[in-house]
Amino acid sequence: IDVPSPEELAIQKEGRNILISAFSKLTADQNMACTLFYLEGMSQIEIAETMDTSLDAVESLIYRGKTKLKSIIKTLQLNSSL
């Protein structure tokens, strides 16, 4: 069994904190769609049914959320390395 070193655990915790912070900066609908898609593994059709919206809307929410997450994470990583 591989046990992570304290340094590896610190890096994992920092990464988790960056993700939590990034997701919190999305709109409520983007956060919900991206959480269900990326973290819960739901299909876009399942998300549309869960959110009571169209498949096109879900596709848009995920695309915009992913784009915004990339930008936010890049900024947060730059700030945390200073």
Side-chain angles (χ1 to χ4, degrees):
I1 298 175
D2 286 337
V3 177
S5 70
E7 182 178 278
E8 289 171 328
L9 288 173
I11 290 169
Q12 287 175 359
K13 184 177 180 182
E14 180 181 351
R16 193 170 333 149
N17 289 341
I18 287 173
L19 272 179
I20 290 167
S21 180
F23 268 81
S24 73
K25 293 178 183 350
L26 298 177
T27 67
D29 285 342
Q30 288 172 345
N31 187 323
M32 172 75 78
C34 288
T35 298
L36 294 175
F37 188 72
Y38 293 113
L39 303 179
E40 300 296 326
M42 290 177 69
S43 72
Q44 292 180 357
I45 293 172
E46 291 171 320
I47 296 167
E49 291 170 357
T50 300
M51 294 180 69
D52 194 29
T53 191
S54 70
L55 180 57
D56 286 343
V58 169
E59 289 171 351
S60 179
L61 288 167
I62 291 171
Y63 176 80
R64 289 185 188 144
K66 179 175 72 171
T67 302
K68 193 170 179 181
L69 282 170
K70 283 181 183 180
S71 173
I72 293 166
I73 289 169
K74 183 183 276 188
T75 301
L76 290 172
Q77 285 176 328
L78 287 174
N79 290 341
S80 71
S81 67
L82 296 178

